[in-house]
Amino acid sequence: MKSVSRQPTQAAHNRGGAALIVAMICTVLVTLMLGTMVKITLTRAQQARHREHALQADWLAEAGLERAQALLTAQPDYQGETWAIEAETLGGPYRGTVTIRVAAIPENPQARNVSVQADYPAGQIERIRKSKQIEMILTPSPSDDSQDAE
């Protein structure tokens, strides 16, 4: 018996080559889709982190106004300060800084212009800065009233 070796036909070679090209195109498309999905996920995470930092900076600015009000009530000659808040106090990985400035208003000796500037995360290149300003009227503390009555 004679063995017959069969040579693949040209059509079989063409089908194998076409299947390889289709598989490569599918792999490239899937890779592009996955890359796009990863990029979108990273962008959304960065946006969420930015929103979180902006909220924290806003809360720090509000806290700075409240701190200034409390200190002005206790000490009418309070001029302001730079208030550094550690990360542990804020419950996160970053610290914050609030700069408080108090200025007298010449037209009204009982009023003070209070401005605050909050930075979060403090000391970082990409930080959020929020500023707020209000006018506060000084009120005598209850201890001052009791001393006047005596």
Side-chain angles (χ1 to χ4, degrees):
M1 181 165 234
K2 197 176 178 187
S3 73
V4 176
S5 68
R6 293 191 181 190
Q7 296 284 335
T9 64
Q10 186 66 23
H13 276 299
N14 287 343
R15 279 191 301 254
L20 180 61
I21 290 173
V22 168
M24 289 175 61
I25 290 172
C26 288
T27 303
V28 168
L29 290 175
V30 168
T31 303
L32 287 173
M33 289 187 335
L34 287 174
T36 302
M37 289 170 51
V38 167
K39 185 175 180 179
I40 289 170
T41 301
L42 292 174
T43 300
R44 287 188 178 169
Q46 183 181 20
Q47 289 171 339
R49 205 169 28 255
H50 186 270
R51 280 193 303 270
E52 176 186 342
H53 291 176
L55 279 171
Q56 185 65 55
D58 197 47
W59 292 332
L60 288 172
E62 285 294 326
L65 290 175
E66 290 178 13
R67 181 179 177 98
Q69 184 175 21
L71 289 170
L72 273 170
T73 300
Q75 311 165 21
D77 60 342
Y78 174 69
Q79 297 294 309
E81 63 183 303
T82 298
W83 178 28
I85 305 110
E86 293 303 318
E88 298 80 31
T89 305
L90 296 174
Y94 303 110
R95 61 186 182 87
T97 304
V98 180
T99 303
I100 303 169
R101 291 186 179 89
V102 179
I105 299 175
E107 301 83 38
N108 186 352
Q110 289 299 106
R112 300 290 184 270
N113 185 18
V114 178
S115 61
V116 298
Q117 176 180 292
D119 290 328
Y120 185 83
Q124 301 290 318
I125 293 172
E126 292 185 17
R127 68 179 179 273
I128 302 293
R129 176 171 283 171
K130 294 284 184 163
S131 299
K132 295 193 178 211
Q133 183 174 344
I134 62 168
E135 185 177 306
M136 290 186 182
I137 305 299
L138 298 179
T139 56
S141 63
S143 60
D144 292 342
D145 290 342
S146 64
Q147 289 175 354
D148 293 340
E150 291 176 7

